[in-house]
Amino acid sequence: MGSKAFNSKKTNDKATKANKVKDSKFKKSTSNDPDVLVNLPAGMKYKVPGKRQRVIIGSIVISLNVLLVISVLVYFYNPGFQEFVYNFGR
């Protein structure tokens, strides 16, 4: 008889721990909308960015990387630009 009470206490403890985990600050989406990644407090939802937004952000990142590579190459091969960067940094 004592073992049944002990087992039920374990089950209640597991249920309490599960409820604490479910009550976290950021909850995953339980709605049927697959675009919602996380439901934030105050009813805000973080959604998957659309294709157009991903293309725009990707093109910005790639163009800035190309600009950086070009500027590094010009810095090493053009002494006038190297002197300009040195003086501009002062």
Side-chain angles (χ1 to χ4, degrees):
M1 186 164 172
S3 65
K4 285 185 181 179
F6 184 71
N7 286 339
S8 65
K9 184 177 180 184
K10 279 187 176 179
T11 308
N12 287 340
D13 288 342
K14 287 181 183 178
T16 305
K17 286 180 183 177
N19 286 338
K20 286 181 183 178
V21 171
K22 288 180 183 177
D23 293 334
S24 68
K25 191 173 187 178
F26 302 109
K27 296 179 182 178
K28 286 200 172 185
S29 173
T30 57
S31 66
N32 294 333
D33 190 10
D35 291 339
V36 177
L37 294 177
V38 178
N39 287 330
L40 300 173
M44 295 172 39
K45 295 179 181 179
Y46 178 73
K47 294 184 177 184
V48 177
K51 182 178 180 181
R52 188 174 190 183
Q53 186 178 4
R54 286 182 284 170
V55 168
I56 291 170
I57 292 173
S59 63
I60 290 171
V61 168
I62 289 173
S63 62
L64 288 174
N65 282 332
V66 168
L67 183 67
L68 177 67
V69 168
I70 290 171
S71 63
V72 167
L73 290 174
V74 170
Y75 178 80
F76 284 126
Y77 290 114
N78 190 349
F81 185 70
Q82 190 173 9
E83 188 175 323
F84 169 74
V85 170
Y86 180 76
N87 290 329
F88 188 75
R90 282 186 174 186

